[in-house]
Amino acid sequence: MNPLTQSLISGLMSGAVYALLAVGLVLAFHTTRVVNLAHGESFAIGGLVAATLADAGLPAYVFAPVAIAASVLFLLAVERFLLRPRRSWPIGNLILVTLAAAFLTRGVLQLAMGVDPLSFPRMFTGAPFRIAGGVLPPQGLALIVIGVTTAVAVTLFLLFTPLGRKLRAVAENPDAAELLGVNVDRARSLAFGIAGALGGLSAVLLVPLVSVDYQAGLGMTLRGFIAAALGGMAPATVILAGLGLGLSEALVTNYAGALAQDPIVFIALIAVAVWQSRKIAFGGTGRA
Amino acid sequence: MSRALSIGVAAVTAVLLGVAWLGWIPGVTSSTITATALRALALMGLNLIFGVVGMLAFGQAAFMALPAYFAGIMDRMGVPLLIALPLALTMVVLLARAVAEVLVRLPGVYLAVGTLGFGMVVEGLARAFPSWTGGASGLVFEHGRNFGTNVWCAIAVVSLAFGVGCYVWYVRGAVWRRLRAIRHDELAASVLGIDVHREKAKIFTIGSAYSAVGGLLLFHYVGVLIPEDAGVVRSLEQIGTLLLGGAGFLVGPIVGAFLVDWFFVISGYAARYELVIYGATFLLVVMYAPQGVSGLLLRPWKRLAGDKAEKAPVVEIRHSVAAVSSDSRVSGRPCLLLHNVTQSFGGVHALVDISLDVKAGEVFTLVGPNGAGKTTLFNIVSGVLRPTSGRTLLDGVDITDLPVHRRAALIGRSFQTPRLVPELSVLANVVLRVDQLSPKLSEQARQAIALEQLRMFELENLSYLSVAEVGLGQRKLIDIARAAVGNPPIVLLDEPAVGLTSAELMHLSEMIRKLKRQGCAVVIVEHNIEFVSNIADRGIVLDSGREIARGTVRDIMAEESVKAAYFGALS
Amino acid sequence: MKIMKFAILTLLAASTGAAHAADPFVVGIVAPTTGSLTTVGLRQLSAVQWWEKKVNAAGGIVGRPVLVVHCNDEGSPEKSASCVRDLISKGSVILLNASVTGPIRAAMPLLQNGPVMVTPSPNIVPSPASYVFQTSPSDVDLTKSIASFLKQNKLDRLAMLASTDASGEVGVASAAEVFPKEGIKYDLARIDLRANDASIQLANIVKPEVKVVFSNYSGGGAAAVVKSYNNLSLAQPLIVSYANISDAFINVIKNDLPTRLLGTGLKAVAPEMLDDPARRKHVEDFMASYKEMTKDNVDMLTLLGLTLADTADAVLRNVKDPRDAASVRTYLETNPVPSIQMLRWSKDRHVGMTADDVSVLEYKKGKWVKADPVQ
């Protein structure tokens, strides 16, 4: 085995997960200005629902769509019942509402699904691919390909379709968008729905390779948030940021060891945050 | 919140602590009080940084853990405790100062990322060097065992009381107003003359010092420190605790720490429903009591007490008004000069080669359709933007490179939508400006000057109302009166007449004339042509960042190109 | 406090229907029932609660009921210290600690004057002068059992994976102490707790000449190690750590079982390996009764919970005044406590088991049994 090739493969796998989570966070951020801290719960819900249904003997073509649907419903509910009635609230308070939603979801999942970690069978099985001394299981390939393709597709949709442009108009100025005939509520529902689908999809793709439990949500939110922040919360760059983060973590682990990972990666993160915000003054209101 | 009220609540808390200590509250013992008091002390730092100033600091747990790590490492090296503790604190405060220098400039979410990253780095380093830090198994502190439970309880409560005392002494009057102004609107705060970055760095350092003292004592009391104690999860928990207690309130950290600890002690009886109850409580608090439990408790009290505390008797010190007024100026002397100013954002030119001369004692107007570059020009004059090329001169001095807050004494600016701090009274909003112009005067003198300013503009009857109780038109007049405090050579008014009733319009005209008589150069952006024609002397017409006409108001209003560009755009 | 106690007593009296409430023995237990160590805490707590019900149903101990008071430390040292103070103030005659390294270490200094605290964490090696007793073998003992397994199979190479948490750190230290002495060469890689995948680490340490791989990673995240193992189609037997000998863990990896899954476990996990028929009966009775009461299977963590309960049971039955911490300590130092295996403490050693109590087990057909030799 070649450790370098294996690092690149492993880095792409976790990078694809980072990218999927980050795109979901960015979608919500761009329509509501809210960093949705309950985003990772869509991963936990998707993973736990899929695992429970798989344990009940249902096949993948049943449990995967149902799990994704559960994630979609969850984030739609967060938008509809928690955020929409509080549109006029300061952003900071809304972020805290999503944090509270995450805490409550965690508690409910503990009661409903138990505390033990769960997993379910892979959808993509068969002999692993061997590339230049590295090994990639079919499920890992699916994770990279489906993950990155979906993230890119959502980005293209945002940038180049009339509906995507409407979503972004909502982000820039909700009142103006409303005047231009965009239904802001519907746009936000759509954004949260897609974000939920991405969260559920990442669970369906990743969980067979690891495990999921009731408290997985906040950790996943944190991963997505780090990638999203690295990418400046912009839809196209967060995918690169996610992949870059995954690859750099893998390479640091390979060359410097797992203990060096956090200090090195997070010092880089601080440097990027400082560099990215060098021109923004006054809490982002510099162009007043 | 007024100081008297804070002290009152602190006293009630002290009594409650006493009651708790006697064992009258189920689940509370002197050892829980020790932990609660030390955590509350550390939380007071987060309260300053996040609750009062509004900085999203996601790494305060690291500032609690760091001094304990430093002290523990020094202890292993044989440094005596009495040297190690103060040295560890000093090191952390210096480190916080350095971190603040880098991070407080970051806006909102980026500050969150930066501080979160800092916490992760500290956690990671603590894990990576077990021979120094004890690693993941934890660093053990032996010295704490030398004190009994009651000694620790006394240390904790005295430290907390000392922390509260310092807070009450420091965060009041001008400091409180300044911090709330920054929290509400950083741009408006800097235009008033507040050095926003310096203030934020200072608060970040002071807040981290609170976290450091609290953490240092807490971990010596607990006896073990593990890397997770420095990490992001603990920092998030702290934010949750603070919100529950009431962010921004003096007693918020104490109430929050007590409730969480108490919940923790009694939650054994909730068994597996614990997380659901915690989540539901937290959700209810953020949705229905965003001011936390302190806010809920203080609301009826506040209603009873009114805001009497703020109506402290104001000593009349009329002569001190002169102390902030600049020398009386000779009308007609050139005051503001712009030389060939160009501003571009990326490839877009917002202003192209604009030159201006505004004389003392005249009203100068900027005319043009939306997007003409008027607000950009205001931003350049007030220092919010640095022009791509060209110079700005004031009274013959080049101020192009002077930061916003340092030119605030020379330039008063009102905004299109008035940017007053909503939770302060009208008077306090004006005092906020006096605070910056004459920081050396006593609180009473500054209040007197602010009152005098409101009186001069016939707004004194609004002085003790809260901003929310005042109509939009009146808020705009207050904003202008505030901008004019100290009689600055230049006053910039951004669409002052929009949204005013006809009575308020007359009031506004009178105010502007008064400014003119006092020798201020008034620069005004306004769409109300009738109003502008009546009040302004000269002006310049801008379209897409370029000058298309200039001269007396009568002349420029007659220009065909102006009619086309300006009235065309309006209709 | 009095109100609380009164409430507890009233509840107890009502539930047992006793005419007069005898003063109960209060047994405090610290166990993380939320947070990342939920499984560890809940399984052990559940075993201790099984004991409480069983003892009280049989009329208590010397006529007095047992009251188990649980405190959730969430796996945090600070909360753990609060828990221990709280449980002491509630009158616990003996403390059980089902938490992990950091929190247990935070609790230990609070016991300068007792009461006795019992914990099953192999990472803790209490000072013989303290009031702390450990019911498992030490981590060094567990590592020795791997070394002797390798020697029996005439192997001198090992690849070892350890997490970046406390058990990983202790494991790394034990490996450095044990393996070189036994002439075993080992390659070590650490894995971050957030990692989705262990393939980088495995690619670095599993060289062709390595015949056995040991993963010291405990808890749910360890699933990623087993799954990566499968992804890389590695054929070497994989030894997992002490805390992973659980149904929950097998359930997570059941779709990705390696060719041979081994683990360092207590012999009681495979009762047929116990030489003493009394011990075997004790374990088998527990397995049956526990299953009947909770509808759940017994695994290593539940058995460790039972060692806590058995120790408390022995103390309450045999020590004249269990409130006197010094006599409890003397009792435990001088009398072996029969549990799933014999717990043998002494004046010089507060660790209850040794390397002899541990065996390398193998997971075969849904059961842990004695491991077959490695080719």
Side-chain angles (χ1 to χ4, degrees):
Chain A
M1 272 185 285
N2 180 338
L4 174 60
T5 323
Q6 198 57 49
S7 308
L8 296 177
I9 289 172
S10 176
L12 282 177
M13 276 162 59
S14 45
V17 177
Y18 279 125
L20 269 181
L21 291 165
V23 170
L25 273 172
V26 165
L27 265 172
F29 180 74
H30 271 248
T31 44
T32 55
R33 293 274 140 200
V34 171
V35 177
N36 176 20
L37 297 181
H39 182 67
E41 305 307 317
S42 66
F43 175 92
I45 290 175
L48 288 171
V49 167
T52 311
L53 294 180
D55 256 1
L58 293 171
Y61 59 82
V62 176
F63 71 67
V66 173
I68 294 175
S71 305
V72 171
L73 280 179
F74 168 71
L75 279 192
L76 283 179
V78 167
E79 193 279 325
R80 176 65 189 82
F81 299 111
L82 296 181
L83 297 180
R84 193 182 296 176
R86 295 174 183 78
R87 256 169 82 166
S88 58
W89 278 30
I91 298 305
N93 291 35
L94 290 179
I95 294 179
L96 295 169
V97 168
T98 63
L99 180 65
F103 284 154
L104 181 58
T105 310
R106 186 180 62 174
V108 171
L109 286 178
Q110 183 203 12
L111 284 185
M113 305 289 193
V115 298
D116 290 337
L118 300 175
S119 193
F120 49 88
R122 306 160 188 231
M123 271 151 283
F124 303 88
T125 49
F129 305 99
R130 294 183 184 273
I131 317 144
V135 183
L136 176 61
Q139 180 80 21
L141 182 67
L143 175 64
I144 296 171
V145 172
I146 300 178
V148 175
T149 315
T150 314
V152 170
V154 171
T155 304
L156 293 178
F157 157 75
L158 268 184
L159 293 178
F160 297 112
T161 63
L163 191 56
R165 274 199 284 269
K166 275 187 187 172
L167 286 186
R168 288 196 301 146
V170 172
E172 254 116 66
N173 189 340
D175 297 333
E178 197 114 67
L179 286 175
L180 291 171
V182 178
N183 185 334
V184 172
D185 287 340
R186 197 178 300 163
R188 288 180 174 170
S189 285
L190 181 64
F192 273 72
I194 299 174
L198 295 179
L201 179 69
S202 44
V204 166
L205 291 173
L206 177 65
V207 171
L209 296 171
V210 286
S211 64
V212 63
D213 63 15
Y214 70 96
Q215 55 195 339
L218 269 182
M220 296 315 272
T221 305
L222 192 64
R223 290 176 204 218
F225 176 65
I226 291 164
L230 267 173
M233 302 305 271
T237 44
V238 295
I239 299 178
L240 292 177
L243 291 172
L245 185 61
L247 283 171
S248 49
E249 277 187 357
L251 290 173
V252 170
T253 301
N254 186 43
Y255 288 111
L259 283 173
Q261 185 186 304
D262 277 1
I264 293 177
V265 168
F266 283 97
I267 284 175
L269 178 80
I270 296 172
V272 171
V274 171
W275 182 76
Q276 271 180 342
S277 56
R278 68 203 179 282
K279 278 190 177 160
I280 308 170
F282 302 114
T285 56
R287 288 181 61 195
Chain B
M1 192 171 63
S2 73
R3 192 152 65 107
L5 205 56
S6 310
I7 295 171
V9 176
V12 172
T13 316
V15 171
L16 279 177
L17 273 173
V19 170
W21 187 69
L22 289 170
W24 293 347
I25 300 178
V28 177
T29 57
S30 64
S31 57
T32 21
I33 295 173
T34 309
T36 303
L38 292 177
R39 295 216 287 156
L41 180 61
L43 265 184
M44 287 182 74
L46 182 67
N47 191 36
L48 261 177
I49 297 170
F50 166 72
V52 176
V53 183
M55 286 185 269
L56 278 176
F58 278 19
Q60 278 321 100
F63 286 104
M64 288 175 69
L66 270 173
Y69 271 124
F70 287 161
I73 291 168
M74 280 190 267
D75 186 43
R76 284 185 175 198
M77 285 161 41
V79 180
L81 192 66
L82 284 178
I83 297 173
L85 294 186
L87 198 58
L89 280 179
T90 315
M91 284 160 69
V92 172
V93 172
L94 290 177
L95 183 66
R97 180 68 228 182
V99 169
E101 210 49 60
V102 179
L103 291 186
V104 296
R105 283 168 201 283
L106 307 191
V109 170
Y110 289 98
L111 177 65
V113 175
T115 45
L116 181 151
F118 179 76
M120 298 289 268
V121 171
V122 173
E123 182 183 345
L125 289 175
R127 237 182 250 291
F129 296 99
S131 54
W132 292 72
T133 62
S137 310
L139 185 62
V140 177
F141 299 94
E142 307 275 353
H143 294 295
R145 298 177 199 171
N146 300 336
F147 304 114
T149 319
N150 285 333
V151 177
W152 263 114
C153 190
I155 292 175
V157 172
V158 168
S159 310
L160 179 62
F162 184 69
V164 170
C166 290
Y167 183 100
V168 171
W169 170 76
Y170 181 65
V171 186
R172 65 190 162 119
V175 174
W176 171 251
R177 285 190 288 269
R178 197 152 63 212
L179 298 183
R180 292 318 269 194
I182 293 172
R183 183 200 170 90
H184 182 62
D185 189 333
E186 293 190 4
L187 174 65
S190 63
V191 167
L192 283 173
I194 298 170
D195 187 346
V196 172
H197 288 149
R198 215 192 89 198
E199 288 297 325
K200 282 167 78 178
K202 203 198 266 175
I203 289 301
F204 190 87
T205 313
I206 296 174
S208 300
Y210 267 96
S211 304
V213 175
L216 186 65
L217 291 174
L218 181 66
F219 292 117
H220 274 85
Y221 173 62
V222 170
V224 175
L225 171 59
I226 58 173
E228 285 93 323
D229 286 324
V232 62
V233 177
R234 293 280 193 278
S235 292
L236 283 177
E237 281 174 1
Q238 284 186 6
I239 289 181
T241 308
L242 181 60
L243 285 167
L244 184 69
F249 293 95
L250 167 61
V251 294
I254 304 171
V255 173
F258 175 76
L259 287 177
V260 168
D261 283 353
W262 194 59
F263 176 79
F264 166 72
V265 171
I266 61 167
S267 65
Y269 305 98
R272 59 201 202 100
Y273 296 98
E274 184 183 339
L275 279 183
V276 169
I277 294 173
Y278 179 74
T281 313
F282 194 56
L283 189 63
L284 287 176
V285 167
V286 293
M287 291 207 310
Y288 300 108
Q291 299 212 293
V293 174
S294 301
L296 276 184
L297 294 176
L298 291 173
R299 202 185 290 157
W301 184 336
K302 232 179 180 175
R303 203 175 294 141
L304 275 180
D307 248 4
K308 285 188 191 110
E310 281 209 19
K311 298 185 192 174
V314 173
V315 183
E316 304 280 336
I317 317 177
R318 277 173 190 276
H319 66 271
S320 57
V321 179
V324 281
S325 305
S326 41
D327 306 333
S328 57
R329 284 178 288 267
V330 186
S331 291
R333 194 169 45 85
C335 178
L336 174 70
L337 287 173
L338 258 62
H339 280 308
N340 312 99
V341 166
T342 295
Q343 178 78 54
S344 40
F345 299 112
V348 185
H349 294 294
L351 281 178
V352 182
D353 200 23
I354 300 295
S355 294
L356 276 189
D357 66 308
V358 183
K359 300 184 178 69
E362 79 169 340
V363 177
F364 191 93
T365 181
L366 304 176
V367 182
N370 282 333
K374 296 166 296 184
T375 303
T376 307
L377 197 89
F378 265 25
N379 280 341
I380 289 173
V381 174
S382 57
V384 174
L385 289 174
R386 201 187 169 284
T388 316
S389 66
R391 315 298 303 171
T392 314
L393 277 79
L394 192 84
D395 280 343
V397 181
D398 191 332
I399 58 164
T400 319
D401 299 320
L402 210 58
V404 195
H405 60 93
R406 292 193 52 201
R407 52 175 99 179
L410 306 170
I411 297 167
R413 177 178 177 180
S414 82
F415 291 90
Q416 201 176 326
T417 39
R419 295 182 158 190
L420 301 174
V421 184
E423 63 196 81
L424 298 180
S425 69
V426 169
L427 181 66
N429 264 286
V430 181
V431 181
L432 190 52
R433 169 95 170 137
V434 186
D435 289 337
Q436 313 316 316
L437 297 181
S438 26
K440 295 215 173 90
L441 291 180
S442 72
E443 171 79 14
Q444 280 179 332
R446 277 178 272 145
Q447 297 232 4
I449 293 168
L451 201 61
E452 182 59 35
Q453 182 74 6
L454 285 168
R455 185 170 296 146
M456 188 164 77
F457 290 106
E458 290 161 27
L459 295 162
E460 77 269 24
N461 55 329
L462 305 175
S463 302
Y464 296 115
L465 296 178
S466 83
V467 170
E469 293 171 285
V470 178
L472 176 71
Q474 287 173 319
R475 267 187 243 175
K476 294 191 81 161
L477 300 181
I478 295 160
D479 197 18
I480 295 167
R482 177 167 81 165
V485 166
N487 232 1
I490 308 269
V491 177
L492 307 174
L493 305 181
D494 198 346
E495 305 202 8
V498 173
L500 264 56
T501 63
S502 56
E504 286 164 351
L505 271 178
M506 284 176 60
H507 195 159
L508 174 66
S509 306
E510 190 43 47
M511 287 175 76
I512 296 178
R513 289 204 185 91
K514 222 170 239 175
L515 288 173
K516 202 174 147 171
R517 278 201 298 277
Q518 288 169 352
C520 293
V522 180
V523 184
I524 172 168
V525 165
E526 184 51 67
H527 285 300
N528 185 332
I529 294 307
E530 199 193 329
F531 180 79
V532 173
S533 310
N534 282 333
I535 199 86
D537 302 305
R538 291 190 304 140
I540 179 172
V541 184
L542 298 174
D543 189 19
S544 308
R546 285 161 211 278
E547 173 184 335
I548 56 171
R550 75 161 66 206
T552 65
V553 171
R554 204 172 301 271
D555 290 345
I556 57 172
M557 291 301 168
E559 288 253 354
E560 283 305 312
S561 56
V562 175
K563 282 183 182 163
Y566 187 38
F567 298 104
L570 275 183
S571 60
Chain C
M1 280 330 300
K2 278 187 181 141
I3 304 170
M4 219 58 182
K5 220 174 202 168
F6 179 74
I8 293 167
L9 287 175
T10 319
L11 275 176
L12 201 88
S15 62
T16 54
H20 60 94
D23 208 11
F25 287 117
V26 179
V27 175
I29 175 165
V30 182
T33 47
T34 56
S36 56
L37 306 153
T38 313
T39 309
V40 175
L42 270 182
R43 297 236 155 206
Q44 298 185 61
L45 175 62
S46 172
V48 173
Q49 284 169 339
W50 165 88
W51 167 72
E52 179 192 23
K53 276 186 204 157
K54 207 194 71 167
V55 165
N56 287 335
I61 294 172
V62 291
R64 291 171 67 181
V66 169
L67 177 63
V68 171
V69 183
H70 165 232
C71 183
N72 173 12
D73 70 339
E74 301 169 25
S76 139
E78 189 196 327
K79 303 237 164 103
S80 167
S82 300
C83 270
V84 167
R85 291 197 186 93
D86 189 41
L87 292 173
I88 293 176
S89 75
K90 283 182 177 155
S92 304
V93 288
I94 186 165
L95 287 173
L96 312 178
N97 199 323
S99 195
V100 288
T101 318
I104 299 172
R105 287 174 66 175
M108 285 160 60
L110 304 170
L111 307 166
Q112 302 290 315
N113 305 306
V116 162
M117 180 171 85
V118 191
T119 176
S121 168
N123 294 348
I124 301 289
V125 180
S127 147
S130 72
Y131 283 96
V132 182
F133 290 81
Q134 201 260 85
T135 60
S136 286
S138 70
D139 192 70
V140 169
D141 294 330
L142 294 173
T143 311
K144 278 181 186 159
S145 75
I146 293 175
S148 62
F149 178 74
L150 293 178
K151 299 208 99 173
Q152 279 161 27
N153 288 284
K154 306 203 165 42
L155 297 171
D156 59 356
R157 279 300 293 264
L158 180 72
M160 176 174 170
L161 203 58
S163 61
T164 53
D165 63 0
S167 57
E169 200 169 272
V170 175
V172 169
S174 308
E177 186 184 327
V178 172
F179 293 140
K181 260 191 237 159
E182 303 284 341
I184 293 166
K185 194 167 170 293
Y186 66 105
D187 295 292
L188 172 71
R190 305 291 293 269
I191 177 167
D192 189 81
L193 295 172
R194 278 177 298 131
N196 285 331
D197 171 74
S199 64
I200 304 172
Q201 286 82 356
L202 291 170
N204 273 298
I205 56 172
V206 185
K207 295 164 186 156
E209 64 271 28
V210 169
K211 297 281 176 265
V212 176
V213 181
F214 169 47
S215 163
N216 159 283
Y217 196 162
S218 18
V225 174
V226 181
K227 297 195 173 206
S228 298
Y229 208 75
N230 190 14
N231 287 341
L232 298 178
S233 326
L234 294 173
Q236 289 92 335
L238 172 67
I239 307 179
V240 295
S241 77
Y242 194 62
N244 280 338
I245 315 273
S246 73
D247 288 351
F249 184 69
I250 294 294
N251 188 38
V252 176
I253 58 162
K254 62 177 182 280
N255 301 307
D256 296 274
L257 284 176
T259 331
R260 290 186 63 189
L261 180 67
L262 312 182
T264 47
L266 292 174
K267 289 181 175 163
V269 173
E272 64 279 5
M273 288 178 71
L274 294 172
D275 305 321
D276 179 351
R279 296 304 98 231
R280 197 182 308 157
K281 183 169 183 317
H282 182 62
V283 172
E284 281 165 355
D285 287 352
F286 170 65
M287 286 175 168
S289 161
Y290 182 82
K291 176 136 197 182
E292 194 186 301
M293 194 183 284
T294 63
K295 313 281 172 263
D296 218 351
N297 282 324
V298 167
D299 62 19
M300 217 12 218
L301 291 169
T302 344
L303 287 175
L304 291 177
L306 184 62
T307 63
L308 300 180
D310 285 335
T311 310
D313 195 275
V315 166
L316 297 182
R317 280 184 206 284
N318 301 317
V319 179
K320 205 173 277 166
D321 179 12
R323 275 174 205 287
D324 176 18
S327 62
V328 174
R329 177 164 68 182
T330 313
Y331 175 80
L332 290 177
E333 282 171 347
T334 46
N335 295 281
V337 170
S339 181
I340 55 174
Q341 288 160 234
M342 276 306 205
L343 302 174
R344 303 169 307 270
W345 293 294
S346 69
K347 283 204 170 347
D348 319 312
R349 186 173 148 96
H350 278 203
V351 174
M353 294 199 214
T354 62
D356 295 336
D357 294 292
V358 194
S359 174
V360 173
L361 306 173
E362 180 159 11
Y363 187 71
K364 280 205 280 195
K365 294 180 192 138
K367 279 187 76 179
W368 288 96
V369 294
K370 188 174 166 42
D372 290 337
V374 176
Q375 312 306 322

